[in-house]
Amino acid sequence: MHLSKAKLRDETGRRVRFYLALGLVTAATLMLQIIETRIISVISWYHLAFFVISIAMFGLTAGAVSVYLRRERFRPEQLSYDLAMAALAFALTTDLAMLVQLTLVTGASPSLTSGVVVSLALTRSPYAIGTVYGADLIGAAIGCIGVLALLNVTSGPSAVLWVGGLIALAALGFAGSGLGALPKSTSLGSQLFRYRRSIVTGCLLLAIANTLTPYGVRLTIIKDHLEGPADLAYDRWNSFSRITVSQNQTVPPAMFGASPRLPRSTIELRALNIDGGAGTALYRFDGNLESLGFLRYDVTNLAYAIPDLRTGAVIGVGGGRDVLSQRLFGLSDVTGVEINPIIIDVLKRRFADYTAIAALDGVKFEVDEARSWLARTPRAFDVIQMSLIDTWAATGAGAFTLTENGLYTVEAWQRFLDRLNPGGLFTVSRWYAPGEVNETGRLVSLGVATLLANDAAEPRRHLFLAAAGNVATLIVTKSPLSPTALGALKNAAEALEFTVLLSPDTAAPSAMLETIVSAPDRRALDQATTGFYLDLTPPTDARPFFFNQLRFSTLLDANVFSRFTHTGVFAGNLVATLTLAMLVLISVALVAATIVVPLRSTIKEAGWPLAVGGTVYFALIGVGFMMIEIALLQRMSVFLGHPVYALSVVLFSLILWTGFGSLASERLRLIGTSKLLAWSVASAAYLFALPLWLPRLLVDLDGAGLFIRAGLCVLVLAPAGFLMGFGFPTGMRLISAISTGPTPWFWGINGAAGVLAASVAVATSIAFSIDTTLRIGAACYLVVAASAMLLMFAGARSSHATLRSLHPSEPTNV
């Protein structure tokens, strides 16, 4: 009896080590995926960062395919060894990818080895697939949250190396899981296995050393230029950005839209950069505001020509330029709202002896997402200023990157206007291309739509637009501009030689702007912005793609490429769109070459009901899941205030609840037509209902704290994830009941569908809306019931054939 208890404890211990090791691998896989989006965003552009999701899914699926194609190599009698070796390969390729500067190409290798681990665990272990799949997903969910903590304490490259160490620890867990014996071989793999503890130690020491020194493994190519430690006075990462501060330099003042009347001068400053692409100036400032008199000549500060402004808020502090401007123009109470705590630390602590901005009377900072903070605060302001709050990367990449900005939607601007005093104003500056409506047209369209939503009788009486160089400033007032305020703006624009593009008392020089600003209602506004080669429709929370103004239909116009040389947002959008199209084509080729073609032989001997039913079933749940995931990522990005928050929270929620659904599928098996149909309808019904009630709830809770908003996301996604969690294990059971031969094909189809659907989902949201993408995903789960019925029919035929072969003389009724 004592022996049996000891044996039971030993078996339990081995099983726990197996589940923990699998959880570590899947946690590391998701952590690596999110860290890669951060690193690619720094070294390249954001539209490539989005593609990380597709590359990761491709690698995982290709790894699973390799397990099937080399099934004589991966034998159940040495499963612990194979799992440990695959995990060691995962750890080493992760570190190697970082050592050679992580790219989309090198980043695919770790995903492939991760796919080998997960595939072996799911298909070769002696444990129930629902339980193994549940452990897989729960580990991944934990990784989604763990990566936020990791990125807040170390750099992106060091975070990758720590993930490599985590994976190496998983190899030790698999090695001790006792599933099979070690092979008697002197191969390189066997030698590596023998020194596995040394490899684990090496991976962990590399991560520790790199964290403690600024001269270790670091990024060297940033946005097409070389960067070294000597170039920087400060370099720090967190979960959603990398902030650098350059060495001191004496140069002409950094201006956004300088007046031709700006006197020549020089000033000491440092360049503060976000992700290597969004630059702002950190001026040397000793507390004497008059030393910053050059700021009076910038078009971004035109609004301060209006008299009697006392209180102000700044959205996006950056180097403190707008905060200093408000104090320079006499505002006595200034609040800077900045989502990035590193930037506030730079101003208040790290460079406090360089700039005295934090010591100014009447200046205070709030570390928060601006839209949420303004929804929550009871205060009202005379001025709210938002100057070029984006990055060059977001402008150039459009919306292919999960960088949809919730600050540029009708709902957000309504919130901003609500926080103004009756005579208050909202001033927002954007890039402007002289001679082209471009981004400025959409800015005006957004202002008009917001005023119409607030029941303004004549929106144009609330708007004033002026430009200097490549920057235009739109002033939106809560009440119609008074003659005094309008006169002050016109006089200042004339004195500083700014170009007036829009004024309440004169026709706009641009026919397009005049048409937009004259719209009496939303229907007329939509008509005014239709048919132009750019998408100038006002962004909403359901379609928050302010920075993507290129209509996909425009690509079919041969004349569109003649505009490529124009400045402004168009050229960047065109590059991003063509890049996405190229990446999609590459995805199709890779999927065909590494998944579809190698696995097609597995389906040849299956009957047509199994082949068609299984293929459609797994394609539908692959497409449906990815459509829903991308749609919810985009929607929650606006709600949570930053894409990385959305990526972590949404993936955590979906994966966690999908894991619970998978575990539940072991006990609540969908056997029979009625249960399958009920699951399909319940899944689709909940997903179809989300666009009906979720948007209003999110707007109402805009002002809640981050933890409350994140908690709401987890609760909202719980039913969706739980129900979708039944899909994959149920399909595998239906297939396995007929034949286990073609299961690799269906696994591959599921992965391939997910890879390709990621890009399609983004394009659908941009072209139509996030809600449309969500509805397409819901429709996939509704129609999947038909393919499930076909699989049940194939199963019945298979059982019938089996009975006939066993009892050929007896009639059977099916």
Side-chain angles (χ1 to χ4, degrees):
M1 182 156 180
H2 291 295
L3 281 175
S4 62
K5 285 185 177 180
K7 186 176 181 180
L8 180 62
R9 282 197 301 270
D10 186 53
E11 170 60 27
T12 302
R14 290 197 299 269
R15 184 177 300 213
V16 168
R17 283 192 287 272
F18 172 83
Y19 288 137
L20 286 176
L22 178 60
L24 284 175
V25 166
T26 55
T29 301
L30 264 292
M31 292 172 76
L32 187 61
Q33 180 178 328
I34 294 173
I35 296 169
E36 283 179 356
T37 65
R38 284 274 68 249
I39 291 177
I40 298 296
S41 296
V42 173
I43 66 177
S44 187
W45 301 103
Y46 282 58
H47 50 283
L48 294 178
F50 168 78
F51 198 61
V52 166
I53 295 176
S54 291
I55 287 292
M57 290 193 63
F58 165 75
L60 289 168
T61 306
V65 171
S66 71
V67 169
Y68 170 74
L69 295 178
R70 301 175 62 201
R71 51 192 177 276
E72 71 285 347
R73 160 66 183 80
F74 298 108
R75 298 189 299 275
E77 56 268 24
Q78 60 180 47
L79 181 59
S80 287
Y81 169 80
D82 288 337
L83 285 169
M85 287 305 304
L88 285 175
F90 186 13
L92 293 174
T93 54
T94 296
D95 284 0
L96 181 62
M98 191 64 255
L99 292 172
V100 298
Q101 298 292 300
L102 188 66
T103 65
L104 290 176
V105 175
T106 58
S109 300
S111 296
L112 192 147
T113 51
S114 173
V116 171
V117 175
V118 175
S119 177
L120 285 172
L122 285 172
T123 62
R124 305 298 168 87
S125 77
Y127 310 126
I129 185 172
T131 306
V132 177
Y133 191 51
D136 168 338
L137 294 177
I138 291 171
I142 294 172
C144 292
I145 299 302
V147 70
L148 292 179
L150 184 60
L151 281 172
N152 279 321
V153 297
T154 189
S155 69
S158 292
V160 172
L161 298 178
W162 277 110
V163 169
L166 192 68
I167 301 164
L169 288 173
L172 292 183
F174 282 130
S177 60
L179 298 175
L182 299 181
K184 297 178 180 179
S185 171
T186 58
S187 66
L188 176 61
S190 298
Q191 297 300 316
L192 287 175
F193 185 82
R194 180 179 302 173
Y195 294 103
R196 60 189 180 279
R197 290 182 178 83
S198 298
I199 294 173
V200 173
T201 303
C203 289
L204 292 173
L205 288 176
L206 179 60
I208 293 170
N210 204 71
T211 303
L212 297 178
T213 175
Y215 298 99
V217 180
R218 56 178 289 117
L219 304 180
T220 57
I221 301 176
I222 309 295
K223 299 290 194 295
D224 305 323
H225 70 269
L226 292 175
E227 178 190 274
D231 301 325
L232 305 175
Y234 182 80
D235 181 1
R236 187 175 171 189
W237 293 68
N238 62 11
S239 59
F240 47 83
S241 69
R242 180 206 185 208
I243 303 296
T244 61
V245 178
S246 73
Q247 303 293 349
N248 188 57
Q249 50 191 311
T250 302
V251 294
M255 304 285 279
F256 285 137
S259 162
R261 305 293 297 273
L262 173 68
R264 291 187 178 181
S265 63
T266 58
I267 187 174
E268 288 185 71
L269 60 78
R270 298 175 185 268
L272 188 153
N273 259 293
I274 304 171
D275 284 356
T280 183
L282 183 66
Y283 302 122
R284 180 179 287 279
F285 174 60
D286 60 4
N288 177 18
L289 288 168
E290 290 308 313
S291 67
L292 303 176
F294 57 86
L295 292 174
R296 298 181 186 275
Y297 295 86
D298 201 306
V299 73
T300 59
N301 293 326
L302 176 61
Y304 301 112
I306 297 176
D308 301 323
L309 302 175
R310 296 287 181 265
T311 60
V314 171
I315 297 175
V317 172
R321 184 180 180 282
D322 289 347
V323 171
L324 292 170
S325 294
Q326 291 196 350
R327 287 294 286 115
L328 175 66
F329 282 95
L331 277 69
S332 57
D333 186 338
V334 178
T335 302
V337 187
E338 172 60 55
I339 190 173
N340 198 324
I342 296 179
I343 289 178
I344 299 303
D345 182 66
V346 165
L347 297 178
K348 296 180 68 174
R349 188 184 64 84
R350 182 62 177 81
F351 288 89
D353 59 342
Y354 189 84
T355 176
I357 183 173
L360 281 175
D361 291 338
V363 170
K364 52 184 169 294
F365 296 108
E366 298 284 348
V367 180
D368 206 337
E369 194 276 316
R371 177 171 168 175
S372 176
W373 185 84
L374 286 166
R376 190 165 61 251
T377 182
R379 300 188 59 196
F381 303 91
D382 294 328
V383 184
I384 296 176
Q385 183 170 7
M386 186 169 74
S387 300
L388 293 103
I389 301 303
D390 69 347
T391 69
W392 276 107
T395 303
F400 299 137
T401 67
L402 311 179
T403 58
E404 299 74 28
N405 197 328
L407 298 176
Y408 294 92
T409 69
V410 172
E411 293 86 348
W413 283 28
Q414 282 186 280
R415 185 72 71 187
F416 301 156
L417 294 187
D418 287 344
R419 283 295 169 264
L420 293 174
N421 289 318
L425 62 91
F426 173 46
T427 173
V428 55
S429 301
R430 295 293 323 145
W431 301 112
Y432 164 70
E436 288 281 336
V437 175
N438 274 359
E439 193 171 326
T440 307
R442 193 165 218 185
L443 192 70
V444 175
S445 171
L446 177 54
V448 171
T450 304
L451 291 165
L452 289 172
N454 282 0
D455 299 321
E458 295 180 73
R460 72 177 305 142
R461 295 181 59 199
H462 299 251
L463 300 172
F464 190 91
L465 177 68
N470 291 320
V471 171
T473 294
L474 177 67
I475 297 169
V476 186
T477 58
K478 190 168 186 176
S479 304
L481 274 163
S482 68
T484 301
L486 179 58
L489 290 173
K490 293 177 72 173
N491 290 338
E494 182 179 2
L496 295 171
E497 299 182 21
F498 296 148
T499 302
V500 177
L501 301 173
L502 198 61
S503 179
D505 58 351
T506 57
S510 162
M512 175 57 71
L513 289 184
E514 179 64 25
T515 303
I516 291 173
V517 79
S518 300
D521 53 41
R522 183 57 188 268
R523 181 177 180 182
L525 177 61
D526 290 340
Q527 291 175 344
T529 54
T530 300
F532 196 58
Y533 78 95
L534 291 178
D535 184 357
L536 302 183
T537 57
T540 64
D541 284 355
R543 193 167 174 256
F545 308 103
F546 177 85
F547 300 108
N548 193 85
Q549 298 182 30
L550 179 65
R551 297 181 186 274
F552 291 143
S553 59
T554 306
L555 295 175
L556 302 177
D557 182 359
N559 296 322
V560 72
F561 294 96
S562 65
R563 296 188 174 95
F564 180 78
T565 57
H566 289 182
T567 58
V569 71
F570 179 81
N573 282 177
L574 185 58
V575 169
T577 303
L578 294 177
T579 301
L580 180 67
M582 179 184 69
L583 293 177
V584 169
L585 291 176
I586 292 173
S587 296
V588 171
L590 288 174
V591 164
T594 63
I595 299 174
V596 177
V597 173
L599 292 179
R600 69 188 188 281
S601 60
T602 66
I603 200 70
K604 287 183 178 179
E605 296 181 4
W608 75 264
L610 175 59
V612 174
T615 300
V616 172
Y617 181 94
F618 284 97
L620 283 172
I621 64 172
V623 171
F625 189 91
M626 186 53 63
M627 285 282 184
I628 290 158
E629 178 182 311
I630 295 297
L632 291 172
L633 280 171
Q634 292 168 329
R635 173 66 81 173
M636 295 307 178
S637 177
V638 173
F639 180 57
L640 295 175
H642 198 279
V644 169
Y645 288 157
L647 196 60
S648 295
V649 173
V650 171
L651 288 183
F652 166 79
S653 304
L654 275 182
I655 293 171
L656 178 70
W657 290 109
T658 301
F660 287 147
S662 176
L663 290 172
S665 73
E666 284 293 330
R667 295 185 174 226
L668 304 173
R669 297 206 172 192
L670 303 180
I671 301 173
T673 303
S674 59
K675 289 184 178 180
L676 274 169
L677 191 59
W679 163 72
S680 174
V681 171
S683 302
Y686 184 78
L687 295 169
F688 273 123
L690 281 178
L692 302 179
W693 59 269
L694 182 59
R696 184 69 259 173
L697 178 63
L698 298 184
V699 170
D700 290 343
L701 292 177
D702 236 357
L706 177 61
F707 286 109
I708 294 176
R709 283 178 284 144
L712 176 68
C713 290
V714 175
L715 292 176
V716 167
L717 271 59
F722 184 81
L723 289 168
M724 290 190 296
F726 281 75
F728 187 85
T730 296
M732 279 298 174
R733 291 189 196 101
L734 289 172
I735 296 296
S736 299
I738 304 168
S739 171
T740 58
T743 52
W745 166 265
F746 299 124
W747 183 303
I749 287 297
N750 182 253
V755 171
L756 301 178
S759 299
V760 174
V762 173
T764 302
S765 294
I766 294 171
F768 303 102
S769 72
I770 294 172
D771 291 343
T772 300
T773 305
L774 195 57
R775 291 186 182 104
I776 292 174
C780 288
Y781 277 91
L782 182 62
V783 300
V784 77
S787 56
M789 303 301 177
L790 191 57
L791 289 175
M792 292 180 65
F793 170 72
R797 287 187 57 182
S798 175
S799 299
H800 177 66
T802 302
L803 287 173
R804 287 183 63 87
S805 65
L806 293 174
H807 307 286
S809 61
E810 298 179 13
T812 57
N813 296 314
V814 178

